[in-house]
Amino acid sequence: MSILFSPLTLRGTTLRNRLWVSPMCMYSAADGVPQEWHHTHLAQFASGGAGLIVAEATAVSPEGRISPRDTGIWTDEQRNAWAPIVAAIHARGSKAGIQLAHAGRKASTWWPFSGRRGSVAAEDGGWPTLAPSAVAYEGFAEPVALDAAGIDAVVSDFAAATRRSLEAGFEVLEVHGAHGYLLHQFLSPLSNRRDDEYGGSLENRARLLLRVVRAVRDAAGGARAGKPGVWRGSPQEGVPLIVRISATDAADGGFDVDEAAIVAEWAVEAGADLIDVSSGGLVAHQAIEVSPGYQVPLAAKIRKTAGVPVTAVGMITDGAHAESVLAAGDADAVFVGREWLRDPHFALRAAHELGVEVDYWPKQYQRARWAN
């Protein structure tokens, strides 16, 4: 019996396996509108057997984009462009998710293959960035500290993006609270120097993330997890909601795994169904030693300490490794990034390597199903 290739049900949505595609930015959109590249890129993973495919960090507002070439979901045009991509994923048997994001002080930057680095100037199409405090990421332009009205607008933008995502057909939502982007910036004392209700204590630093989670859950339907009746409907209703967090800043004085476990529990109480555990991204001087499965212990600790379902990620490149993570009880599902880029049929290959029979091999690929 394979745990990796057993289904997982979140609310009323059943995912055919637990080997999922992480959101990975393609930096190939035009004015936030996904292009043909995104259609082919994402649909191929569904043909390759993925249980869930989460589209890249998609900005909830123009100023929330990491770069001018990021995808967005703040207009109806963007929603309409996402719809056929979602339909293609569904037609191939996978579930389609979207990562809702705001880059905060790491917005308005050059995309990786632009040949340039740092912040994009206004004359090149850049814009002023927003953050909890006027503290710049190393090498980037200084951001503007959000005021109360600006914070309220961020929450409203996430709610509006949720509604458009559902209209486009997405069946799973992920709130991006990791990798040094806006919600993570509020969580960490290294970037949050506020002295109001959004700064100081962990409860205050987590306030914006939890407001966003509640707003997204309200827009997505269903009761708050663990507390039926707080929101409309029952806990089984509504669209599954994942929250991605960086469980450590890997820098002195930063957000750490003990605080992350507390925030994870709060997020589930606020309406999240699953915590996607990653790490880092807040500061350039982070100290992270990378190796296969290097982030799995973070997921395991949060799962054990907070008692919430989690996903693991981080240099998991073969089916046996992914299976072992789940078998050890370290996570409930596995997100994989680069290996899917190397092999868009990673799930089919992993099933074959593990000796697992799956019934979603494309008919067109049956001749490759067996070794000879």
Side-chain angles (χ1 to χ4, degrees):
M1 296 295 293
S2 167
I3 302 174
L4 187 65
F5 286 96
S6 65
L8 178 65
T9 299
L10 299 174
R11 295 189 182 262
T13 299
T14 298
L15 308 163
R16 63 186 177 184
N17 62 46
R18 302 172 187 232
L19 183 54
W20 302 346
V21 179
S22 285
M24 293 176 281
C25 290
M26 294 290 104
Y27 304 104
S28 300
D31 296 322
V33 177
Q35 304 294 301
E36 175 59 28
W37 173 269
H38 299 88
H39 190 289
T40 302
H41 165 68
L42 293 170
Q44 67 180 340
F45 302 133
S47 296
L52 171 65
I53 300 163
V54 180
E56 64 194 77
T58 300
V60 299
S61 62
E63 64 273 13
R65 292 171 293 167
I66 303 167
S67 81
R69 298 188 66 174
D70 279 31
T71 57
I73 191 77
W74 70 84
T75 72
D76 290 350
E77 180 186 7
Q78 294 160 355
R79 175 202 63 196
N80 295 343
W82 278 117
I85 298 172
V86 173
I89 292 171
H90 290 167
R92 292 161 174 81
S94 296
K95 300 300 183 184
I98 185 170
Q99 186 182 64
L100 304 177
H102 191 302
R105 69 178 189 172
K106 292 178 75 175
S108 189
T109 59
W110 292 100
W111 53 97
F113 45 89
S114 66
R116 303 177 69 174
R117 301 185 67 181
S119 297
V120 179
E123 58 267 28
D124 293 319
W127 57 89
T129 59
L130 303 170
S133 306
V135 179
Y137 181 86
E138 292 94 324
F140 291 1
E142 183 177 299
V144 175
L146 282 160
D147 59 16
I151 289 173
D152 288 346
V154 168
V155 177
S156 296
D157 288 340
F158 271 93
T162 298
R163 290 188 286 271
R164 284 196 173 92
S165 297
L166 299 180
E167 291 165 359
F170 285 104
E171 294 176 291
V172 177
L173 304 168
E174 178 169 274
V175 168
H176 200 346
H179 300 165
Y181 299 124
L182 184 65
L183 301 181
H184 184 186
Q185 291 161 29
F186 270 84
L187 285 172
S188 177
L190 296 178
S191 49
N192 184 344
R193 311 285 177 80
R194 301 176 74 96
D195 58 7
D196 62 1
E197 62 181 332
Y198 290 94
S201 69
L202 179 61
E203 182 180 12
N204 284 354
R205 286 182 276 123
R207 192 177 304 278
L208 178 56
L209 171 65
L210 298 179
R211 283 190 64 188
V212 167
V213 171
R214 293 186 188 102
V216 172
R217 169 50 60 213
D218 192 27
R224 187 193 303 187
K227 295 186 178 180
V230 176
W231 300 99
R232 62 181 183 273
S234 73
Q236 287 72 42
E237 294 177 334
V239 171
L241 172 58
I242 301 170
V243 174
R244 172 165 273 192
I245 61 171
S246 281
T248 177
D249 291 339
D252 290 343
F255 188 66
D256 61 27
V257 68
D258 292 324
E259 289 190 325
I262 296 170
V263 171
E265 187 172 4
W266 289 345
V268 170
E269 290 174 353
D273 300 295
L274 196 67
I275 305 299
D276 178 8
V277 182
S278 188
S279 67
L282 186 88
V283 292
H285 61 275
Q286 67 185 23
I288 297 178
E289 185 175 337
V290 177
S291 62
Y294 70 102
Q295 295 176 127
V296 172
L298 298 170
K301 181 167 183 176
I302 289 174
R303 189 175 192 263
K304 180 179 180 180
T305 303
V308 300
V310 303
T311 63
V313 68
M315 290 190 69
I316 298 170
T317 59
D318 62 72
H321 187 185
E323 182 74 39
S324 71
V325 169
L326 303 185
D330 292 338
D332 299 274
V334 173
F335 269 119
V336 173
R338 290 174 177 84
E339 192 61 24
W340 281 106
L341 300 183
R342 289 185 282 263
D343 179 3
H345 304 104
F346 177 40
L348 299 181
R349 171 167 60 85
H352 178 74
E353 291 171 351
L354 292 172
V356 177
E357 286 292 324
V358 295
D359 61 2
Y360 39 83
W361 270 81
K363 293 181 176 61
Q364 298 88 339
Y365 293 172
Q366 288 293 330
R367 72 189 69 183
R369 187 170 184 174
W370 310 111
N372 50 36

